[in-house]
Amino acid sequence: MPADIQTQTFHGQPALVLTTAGGARAVVSPFGAQVLSWSPAGGGERLYLSPDARFDAATAVRGGVPVCFPQFAGLGKLPKHGFARTLPWTVSGQRCGDDYALVTLRLTDDDATFALWPHAFAAELTVLLENDRLELELEVENTGHAPFAFTAALHTYLAVHEVENASLEGLHGLEYRDAADGDRIKRESGPALTVEGEVDRVYHGVTRPLLLRDAGRSLGIHVDGFPDVVVWNPWEHKSATLPDLPDKGFRHMLCVEAAAARSKIQLDAGEEWYGRQSLVVL
Ligand code: TA6
């Protein structure tokens, strides 16, 4: 069978299901332009989706790859992580080749977004599925007549077998803001990051590819255009405050997010920006 894109129901909501000839599969929800599932050819699920996630087309879905725009976390006056993750996006493009499937979703300003954030914009998320990789590209265009600035992230929840046994390589020597320790600025000293408690860090100036090792599996994480990488695991106490994450859920996830968080991206009228995160099975 060639690559294919079908509309199906996923947790009661419409979703696009992308498949490749080799057997890779991804599920993308137009609500929030959120990738909810990804399994490469011949492999198991690589994204964490909370079994307690809510699918009511209003609440942010816990897991997969939420798109945070035009604000990352609480870095401003907007709702946490902005409004893009809780709005319906339009499917603006679909294409299949011999060995890939690609969809593009689009969100533009309307009265509701304008009331929160008075700017004219067009945001597009393109999801490319190949046998051994998933690539997400967020493009933002200033369609208005005045400059604006934003922060953003692809808040990727990676599935891990047991987070304490996973390790993330490639951050050595980088400066980070430790949101789990009073926003102190620190420098990564170890060759690999391991998780043994709450981790909530914004690493700056990430240019090298990262490598996630977990239970005999390896995943390459490439970030382009986004200057920062956020690593997040809520661990036990924080996790208890999240109603849509089960008690032991934090053990099976590690967020490695492509982000523009430290400095805002500035766009003049008519300008465009893009940032990309690629996940590659190694
Ligand atoms: O990206 C890390 C973070 O900003 C954390 O501080 C944590 O709160 C997380 O995002 C999840 O946010 P959410 O609003 O989805 O519960």
Side-chain angles (χ1 to χ4, degrees), residues 33-224:
Q34 193 157 339
V35 179
L36 297 172
S37 169
W38 168 50
S39 38
E45 179 64 54
R46 292 292 185 140
L47 297 179
Y48 177 79
L49 179 61
S50 169
D52 294 346
R54 291 182 59 188
F55 291 89
D56 57 8
T59 310
V61 175
R62 174 82 55 204
V65 189
V67 177
C68 306
F69 172 82
Q71 177 185 297
F72 174 72
L75 298 175
K77 296 185 189 128
L78 294 178
K80 192 172 174 201
H81 288 317
F83 47 69
R85 65 175 177 164
T86 50
L87 287 176
W89 293 48
T90 307
V91 179
S92 58
Q94 300 190 33
R95 206 165 68 228
C96 289
D98 283 347
D99 48 11
Y100 73 88
L102 177 148
V103 295
T104 301
L105 299 106
R106 187 176 169 88
L107 180 74
T108 53
D109 57 281
D110 62 11
D111 290 349
T113 67
F114 214 84
L116 287 167
W117 195 63
H119 303 289
F121 72 89
E124 280 195 340
L125 184 82
T126 298
V127 179
L128 170 68
L129 176 74
E130 296 176 341
N131 281 334
D132 60 353
R133 72 194 260 131
L134 179 75
E135 189 175 289
L136 305 184
E137 183 176 295
L138 177 66
E139 197 175 306
V140 178
E141 183 184 352
N142 181 342
T143 54
H145 302 291
F148 66 61
F150 63 93
T151 51
L154 299 173
H155 197 302
T156 308
Y157 286 73
L158 297 172
V160 290
H161 186 66
E162 183 61 57
V163 74
E164 275 175 284
N165 299 331
S167 70
L168 184 64
E169 296 172 19
L171 296 166
H172 180 77
L174 295 179
E175 193 179 89
Y176 64 92
R177 173 169 62 82
D178 192 346
D181 185 15
D183 282 335
R184 286 207 172 82
I185 302 298
K186 302 179 178 175
R187 194 167 290 278
E188 185 58 61
S189 55
L193 171 70
T194 49
V195 178
E196 290 156 354
E198 184 188 351
V199 173
D200 194 351
R201 302 177 179 179
V202 183
Y203 287 87
H204 305 306
V206 182
T207 50
R208 294 188 296 258
L210 309 179
L211 177 67
L212 177 70
R213 292 186 199 272
D214 161 57
R217 307 198 298 189
S218 295
L219 189 72
I221 304 164
H222 301 252
V223 172
D224 191 18

Side-chain angles (χ1 to χ4, degrees), residues 245-276:
L245 198 61
D247 284 355
K248 300 278 180 251
F250 71 92
R251 296 199 168 276
H252 307 299
M253 55 159 275
L254 181 64
C255 286
V256 181
E257 313 164 30
R262 177 154 77 167
S263 308
K264 290 185 172 179
I265 307 283
Q266 312 273 347
L267 285 187
D268 283 338
E271 272 190 340
E272 284 172 25
W273 166 91
Y274 79 89
R276 197 183 291 146

Side-chain angles (χ1 to χ4, degrees), residues 197-198 233-241 247-248 250-251:
E198 184 188 351
N233 182 286
W235 207 252
E236 216 160 346
H237 293 300
K238 213 26 166 320
S239 169
T241 67
D247 284 355
K248 300 278 180 251
F250 71 92
R251 296 199 168 276

